[in-house]
PDB file of all heavy atoms in Angstrom:
ATOM      1  N   VAL A   1      -3.506  -8.620   4.137  1.00  0.00           N
ATOM      2  CA  VAL A   1      -4.222  -8.958   2.900  1.00  0.00           C
ATOM      3  C   VAL A   1      -4.094 -10.426   2.531  1.00  0.00           C
ATOM      4  O   VAL A   1      -4.845 -10.923   1.681  1.00  0.00           O
ATOM      5  CB  VAL A   1      -3.729  -8.087   1.729  1.00  0.00           C
ATOM      6  CG1 VAL A   1      -3.967  -6.615   2.028  1.00  0.00           C
ATOM      7  CG2 VAL A   1      -2.236  -8.331   1.432  1.00  0.00           C
ATOM      8  N   GLY A   2      -3.151 -11.148   3.142  1.00  0.00           N
ATOM      9  CA  GLY A   2      -2.998 -12.561   2.861  1.00  0.00           C
ATOM     10  C   GLY A   2      -2.056 -12.826   1.696  1.00  0.00           C
ATOM     11  O   GLY A   2      -1.617 -11.909   0.993  1.00  0.00           O
ATOM     12  N   PRO A   3      -1.741 -14.098   1.472  1.00  0.00           N
ATOM     13  CA  PRO A   3      -0.711 -14.466   0.477  1.00  0.00           C
ATOM     14  C   PRO A   3      -1.169 -14.383  -0.963  1.00  0.00           C
ATOM     15  O   PRO A   3      -0.334 -14.462  -1.876  1.00  0.00           O
ATOM     16  CB  PRO A   3      -0.380 -15.907   0.866  1.00  0.00           C
ATOM     17  CG  PRO A   3      -1.661 -16.427   1.470  1.00  0.00           C
ATOM     18  CD  PRO A   3      -2.261 -15.265   2.202  1.00  0.00           C
ATOM     19  N   ASP A   4      -2.464 -14.257  -1.218  1.00  0.00           N
ATOM     20  CA  ASP A   4      -2.952 -14.360  -2.593  1.00  0.00           C
ATOM     21  C   ASP A   4      -2.935 -13.047  -3.358  1.00  0.00           C
ATOM     22  O   ASP A   4      -3.091 -13.052  -4.587  1.00  0.00           O
ATOM     23  CB  ASP A   4      -4.377 -14.923  -2.599  1.00  0.00           C
ATOM     24  CG  ASP A   4      -4.439 -16.352  -2.057  1.00  0.00           C
ATOM     25  OD1 ASP A   4      -3.417 -17.065  -2.173  1.00  0.00           O
ATOM     26  OD2 ASP A   4      -5.491 -16.748  -1.512  1.00  0.00           O
ATOM     27  N   LEU A   5      -2.774 -11.916  -2.675  1.00  0.00           N
ATOM     28  CA  LEU A   5      -2.747 -10.640  -3.382  1.00  0.00           C
ATOM     29  C   LEU A   5      -1.488 -10.559  -4.244  1.00  0.00           C
ATOM     30  O   LEU A   5      -0.375 -10.757  -3.740  1.00  0.00           O
ATOM     31  CB  LEU A   5      -2.765  -9.475  -2.388  1.00  0.00           C
ATOM     32  CG  LEU A   5      -2.926  -8.083  -3.019  1.00  0.00           C
ATOM     33  CD1 LEU A   5      -4.365  -7.872  -3.464  1.00  0.00           C
ATOM     34  CD2 LEU A   5      -2.515  -6.993  -2.025  1.00  0.00           C
ATOM     35  N   PRO A   6      -1.621 -10.271  -5.526  1.00  0.00           N
ATOM     36  CA  PRO A   6      -0.441 -10.183  -6.400  1.00  0.00           C
ATOM     37  C   PRO A   6       0.547  -9.120  -5.917  1.00  0.00           C
ATOM     38  O   PRO A   6       0.159  -8.122  -5.305  1.00  0.00           O
ATOM     39  CB  PRO A   6      -1.034  -9.804  -7.762  1.00  0.00           C
ATOM     40  CG  PRO A   6      -2.458 -10.280  -7.705  1.00  0.00           C
ATOM     41  CD  PRO A   6      -2.878 -10.102  -6.276  1.00  0.00           C
ATOM     42  N   GLU A   7       1.821  -9.356  -6.209  1.00  0.00           N
ATOM     43  CA  GLU A   7       2.868  -8.445  -5.742  1.00  0.00           C
ATOM     44  C   GLU A   7       2.662  -7.022  -6.243  1.00  0.00           C
ATOM     45  O   GLU A   7       2.922  -6.055  -5.516  1.00  0.00           O
ATOM     46  CB  GLU A   7       4.246  -8.961  -6.184  1.00  0.00           C
ATOM     47  CG  GLU A   7       4.691 -10.221  -5.463  1.00  0.00           C
ATOM     48  CD  GLU A   7       4.876  -9.993  -3.973  1.00  0.00           C
ATOM     49  OE1 GLU A   7       5.514  -9.008  -3.586  1.00  0.00           O
ATOM     50  OE2 GLU A   7       4.351 -10.817  -3.190  1.00  0.00           O
ATOM     51  N   ALA A   8       2.218  -6.870  -7.484  1.00  0.00           N
ATOM     52  CA  ALA A   8       2.008  -5.527  -8.026  1.00  0.00           C
ATOM     53  C   ALA A   8       0.931  -4.784  -7.241  1.00  0.00           C
ATOM     54  O   ALA A   8       1.038  -3.573  -7.005  1.00  0.00           O
ATOM     55  CB  ALA A   8       1.634  -5.602  -9.500  1.00  0.00           C
ATOM     56  N   GLU A   9      -0.122  -5.502  -6.817  1.00  0.00           N
ATOM     57  CA  GLU A   9      -1.176  -4.868  -6.033  1.00  0.00           C
ATOM     58  C   GLU A   9      -0.691  -4.548  -4.626  1.00  0.00           C
ATOM     59  O   GLU A   9      -1.088  -3.540  -4.039  1.00  0.00           O
ATOM     60  CB  GLU A   9      -2.414  -5.768  -6.000  1.00  0.00           C
ATOM     61  CG  GLU A   9      -3.081  -5.918  -7.355  1.00  0.00           C
ATOM     62  CD  GLU A   9      -4.349  -6.753  -7.291  1.00  0.00           C
ATOM     63  OE1 GLU A   9      -5.058  -6.678  -6.259  1.00  0.00           O
ATOM     64  OE2 GLU A   9      -4.625  -7.489  -8.262  1.00  0.00           O
ATOM     65  N   LEU A  10       0.182  -5.398  -4.092  1.00  0.00           N
ATOM     66  CA  LEU A  10       0.768  -5.090  -2.792  1.00  0.00           C
ATOM     67  C   LEU A  10       1.670  -3.862  -2.892  1.00  0.00           C
ATOM     68  O   LEU A  10       1.674  -3.014  -1.989  1.00  0.00           O
ATOM     69  CB  LEU A  10       1.549  -6.284  -2.266  1.00  0.00           C
ATOM     70  CG  LEU A  10       2.182  -6.118  -0.876  1.00  0.00           C
ATOM     71  CD1 LEU A  10       1.111  -5.844   0.189  1.00  0.00           C
ATOM     72  CD2 LEU A  10       3.007  -7.345  -0.509  1.00  0.00           C
ATOM     73  N   ASP A  11       2.420  -3.752  -3.983  1.00  0.00           N
ATOM     74  CA  ASP A  11       3.250  -2.557  -4.201  1.00  0.00           C
ATOM     75  C   ASP A  11       2.386  -1.298  -4.151  1.00  0.00           C
ATOM     76  O   ASP A  11       2.760  -0.287  -3.531  1.00  0.00           O
ATOM     77  CB  ASP A  11       3.958  -2.627  -5.553  1.00  0.00           C
ATOM     78  CG  ASP A  11       5.077  -3.662  -5.584  1.00  0.00           C
ATOM     79  OD1 ASP A  11       5.540  -4.060  -4.507  1.00  0.00           O
ATOM     80  OD2 ASP A  11       5.469  -4.065  -6.697  1.00  0.00           O
ATOM     81  N   ASP A  12       1.255  -1.341  -4.821  1.00  0.00           N
ATOM     82  CA  ASP A  12       0.357  -0.189  -4.848  1.00  0.00           C
ATOM     83  C   ASP A  12      -0.196   0.108  -3.458  1.00  0.00           C
ATOM     84  O   ASP A  12      -0.308   1.274  -3.055  1.00  0.00           O
ATOM     85  CB  ASP A  12      -0.785  -0.442  -5.836  1.00  0.00           C
ATOM     86  CG  ASP A  12      -1.761   0.723  -5.903  1.00  0.00           C
ATOM     87  OD1 ASP A  12      -1.347   1.814  -6.352  1.00  0.00           O
ATOM     88  OD2 ASP A  12      -2.918   0.552  -5.485  1.00  0.00           O
ATOM     89  N   LEU A  13      -0.524  -0.954  -2.713  1.00  0.00           N
ATOM     90  CA  LEU A  13      -1.042  -0.771  -1.360  1.00  0.00           C
ATOM     91  C   LEU A  13       0.005  -0.132  -0.459  1.00  0.00           C
ATOM     92  O   LEU A  13      -0.300   0.768   0.336  1.00  0.00           O
ATOM     93  CB  LEU A  13      -1.485  -2.121  -0.783  1.00  0.00           C
ATOM     94  CG  LEU A  13      -2.024  -2.112   0.647  1.00  0.00           C
ATOM     95  CD1 LEU A  13      -3.242  -1.206   0.776  1.00  0.00           C
ATOM     96  CD2 LEU A  13      -2.376  -3.538   1.089  1.00  0.00           C
ATOM     97  N   VAL A  14       1.254  -0.569  -0.581  1.00  0.00           N
ATOM     98  CA  VAL A  14       2.334   0.019   0.217  1.00  0.00           C
ATOM     99  C   VAL A  14       2.500   1.496  -0.132  1.00  0.00           C
ATOM    100  O   VAL A  14       2.654   2.343   0.769  1.00  0.00           O
ATOM    101  CB  VAL A  14       3.651  -0.744  -0.001  1.00  0.00           C
ATOM    102  CG1 VAL A  14       4.821   0.002   0.641  1.00  0.00           C
ATOM    103  CG2 VAL A  14       3.545  -2.155   0.573  1.00  0.00           C
ATOM    104  N   ARG A  15       2.444   1.822  -1.398  1.00  0.00           N
ATOM    105  CA  ARG A  15       2.579   3.226  -1.808  1.00  0.00           C
ATOM    106  C   ARG A  15       1.448   4.067  -1.223  1.00  0.00           C
ATOM    107  O   ARG A  15       1.681   5.169  -0.698  1.00  0.00           O
ATOM    108  CB  ARG A  15       2.594   3.331  -3.329  1.00  0.00           C
ATOM    109  CG  ARG A  15       2.770   4.763  -3.843  1.00  0.00           C
ATOM    110  CD  ARG A  15       3.036   4.801  -5.341  1.00  0.00           C
ATOM    111  NE  ARG A  15       2.011   4.099  -6.111  1.00  0.00           N
ATOM    112  CZ  ARG A  15       2.208   2.924  -6.718  1.00  0.00           C
ATOM    113  NH1 ARG A  15       3.381   2.312  -6.626  1.00  0.00           N
ATOM    114  NH2 ARG A  15       1.244   2.364  -7.393  1.00  0.00           N
ATOM    115  N   ARG A  16       0.224   3.543  -1.285  1.00  0.00           N
ATOM    116  CA  ARG A  16      -0.896   4.281  -0.703  1.00  0.00           C
ATOM    117  C   ARG A  16      -0.766   4.383   0.810  1.00  0.00           C
ATOM    118  O   ARG A  16      -1.157   5.385   1.421  1.00  0.00           O
ATOM    119  CB  ARG A  16      -2.218   3.617  -1.098  1.00  0.00           C
ATOM    120  CG  ARG A  16      -2.570   3.814  -2.571  1.00  0.00           C
ATOM    121  CD  ARG A  16      -3.927   3.258  -2.927  1.00  0.00           C
ATOM    122  NE  ARG A  16      -3.938   1.801  -2.983  1.00  0.00           N
ATOM    123  CZ  ARG A  16      -4.752   1.011  -2.308  1.00  0.00           C
ATOM    124  NH1 ARG A  16      -5.652   1.540  -1.471  1.00  0.00           N
ATOM    125  NH2 ARG A  16      -4.683  -0.297  -2.436  1.00  0.00           N
ATOM    126  N   GLY A  17      -0.217   3.319   1.423  1.00  0.00           N
ATOM    127  CA  GLY A  17      -0.002   3.358   2.861  1.00  0.00           C
ATOM    128  C   GLY A  17       0.993   4.426   3.271  1.00  0.00           C
ATOM    129  O   GLY A  17       0.800   5.134   4.262  1.00  0.00           O
ATOM    130  N   LEU A  18       2.068   4.555   2.522  1.00  0.00           N
ATOM    131  CA  LEU A  18       3.063   5.581   2.826  1.00  0.00           C
ATOM    132  C   LEU A  18       2.509   6.977   2.564  1.00  0.00           C
ATOM    133  O   LEU A  18       2.820   7.933   3.295  1.00  0.00           O
ATOM    134  CB  LEU A  18       4.324   5.334   2.007  1.00  0.00           C
ATOM    135  CG  LEU A  18       5.129   4.102   2.446  1.00  0.00           C
ATOM    136  CD1 LEU A  18       6.185   3.763   1.409  1.00  0.00           C
ATOM    137  CD2 LEU A  18       5.775   4.323   3.821  1.00  0.00           C
ATOM    138  N   ARG A  19       1.687   7.110   1.543  1.00  0.00           N
ATOM    139  CA  ARG A  19       1.038   8.405   1.315  1.00  0.00           C
ATOM    140  C   ARG A  19       0.102   8.754   2.466  1.00  0.00           C
ATOM    141  O   ARG A  19       0.023   9.921   2.881  1.00  0.00           O
ATOM    142  CB  ARG A  19       0.262   8.375  -0.002  1.00  0.00           C
ATOM    143  CG  ARG A  19       1.127   8.453  -1.248  1.00  0.00           C
ATOM    144  CD  ARG A  19       0.270   8.545  -2.503  1.00  0.00           C
ATOM    145  NE  ARG A  19       1.086   8.801  -3.694  1.00  0.00           N
ATOM    146  CZ  ARG A  19       0.585   9.092  -4.897  1.00  0.00           C
ATOM    147  NH1 ARG A  19      -0.733   9.153  -5.056  1.00  0.00           N
ATOM    148  NH2 ARG A  19       1.390   9.313  -5.920  1.00  0.00           N
ATOM    149  N   SER A  20      -0.610   7.774   2.985  1.00  0.00           N
ATOM    150  CA  SER A  20      -1.492   8.012   4.127  1.00  0.00           C
ATOM    151  C   SER A  20      -0.690   8.432   5.349  1.00  0.00           C
ATOM    152  O   SER A  20      -1.064   9.355   6.089  1.00  0.00           O
ATOM    153  CB  SER A  20      -2.299   6.743   4.437  1.00  0.00           C
ATOM    154  OG  SER A  20      -3.084   6.905   5.594  1.00  0.00           O
ATOM    155  N   TYR A  21       0.441   7.773   5.575  1.00  0.00           N
ATOM    156  CA  TYR A  21       1.300   8.112   6.709  1.00  0.00           C
ATOM    157  C   TYR A  21       1.854   9.528   6.554  1.00  0.00           C
ATOM    158  O   TYR A  21       1.899  10.313   7.518  1.00  0.00           O
ATOM    159  CB  TYR A  21       2.438   7.090   6.789  1.00  0.00           C
ATOM    160  CG  TYR A  21       3.312   7.196   8.014  1.00  0.00           C
ATOM    161  CD1 TYR A  21       2.771   7.396   9.274  1.00  0.00           C
ATOM    162  CD2 TYR A  21       4.696   7.065   7.902  1.00  0.00           C
ATOM    163  CE1 TYR A  21       3.592   7.475  10.398  1.00  0.00           C
ATOM    164  CE2 TYR A  21       5.520   7.144   9.014  1.00  0.00           C
ATOM    165  CZ  TYR A  21       4.955   7.354  10.255  1.00  0.00           C
ATOM    166  OH  TYR A  21       5.760   7.441  11.368  1.00  0.00           O
ATOM    167  N   ALA A  22       2.263   9.884   5.337  1.00  0.00           N
ATOM    168  CA  ALA A  22       2.749  11.239   5.088  1.00  0.00           C
ATOM    169  C   ALA A  22       1.636  12.260   5.306  1.00  0.00           C
ATOM    170  O   ALA A  22       1.867  13.353   5.844  1.00  0.00           O
ATOM    171  CB  ALA A  22       3.289  11.343   3.661  1.00  0.00           C
ATOM    172  N   ARG A  23       0.427  11.914   4.910  1.00  0.00           N
ATOM    173  CA  ARG A  23      -0.704  12.820   5.130  1.00  0.00           C
ATOM    174  C   ARG A  23      -0.933  13.039   6.618  1.00  0.00           C
ATOM    175  O   ARG A  23      -1.237  14.163   7.045  1.00  0.00           O
ATOM    176  CB  ARG A  23      -1.963  12.256   4.469  1.00  0.00           C
ATOM    177  CG  ARG A  23      -3.204  13.101   4.705  1.00  0.00           C
ATOM    178  CD  ARG A  23      -4.405  12.560   3.963  1.00  0.00           C
ATOM    179  NE  ARG A  23      -5.630  13.284   4.341  1.00  0.00           N
ATOM    180  CZ  ARG A  23      -6.829  13.070   3.794  1.00  0.00           C
ATOM    181  NH1 ARG A  23      -6.955  12.172   2.827  1.00  0.00           N
ATOM    182  NH2 ARG A  23      -7.873  13.762   4.200  1.00  0.00           N
ATOM    183  N   TYR A  24      -0.788  11.963   7.418  1.00  0.00           N
ATOM    184  CA  TYR A  24      -0.923  12.128   8.865  1.00  0.00           C
ATOM    185  C   TYR A  24       0.055  13.186   9.381  1.00  0.00           C
ATOM    186  O   TYR A  24      -0.313  14.092  10.130  1.00  0.00           O
ATOM    187  CB  TYR A  24      -0.693  10.803   9.600  1.00  0.00           C
ATOM    188  CG  TYR A  24      -0.326  11.031  11.046  1.00  0.00           C
ATOM    189  CD1 TYR A  24      -1.301  11.429  11.955  1.00  0.00           C
ATOM    190  CD2 TYR A  24       0.995  10.925  11.484  1.00  0.00           C
ATOM    191  CE1 TYR A  24      -0.958  11.690  13.279  1.00  0.00           C
ATOM    192  CE2 TYR A  24       1.337  11.185  12.793  1.00  0.00           C
ATOM    193  CZ  TYR A  24       0.357  11.570  13.688  1.00  0.00           C
ATOM    194  OH  TYR A  24       0.688  11.856  14.984  1.00  0.00           O
TER     195      TYR A  24
END
């Protein structure tokens, strides 16, 4: 996503990523 994405939005992306991995 690059350096400009705010940390809070990256936190949300990581959470969604882990949910996607768990769904797999």
Side-chain angles (χ1 to χ4, degrees):
V1 300
D4 296 333
L5 188 75
E7 290 296 313
E9 293 183 34
L10 182 60
D11 288 341
D12 180 65
L13 179 59
V14 171
R15 182 169 55 252
R16 289 185 286 125
L18 289 168
R19 285 185 172 189
S20 176
Y21 188 43
R23 177 176 173 176
Y24 159 74

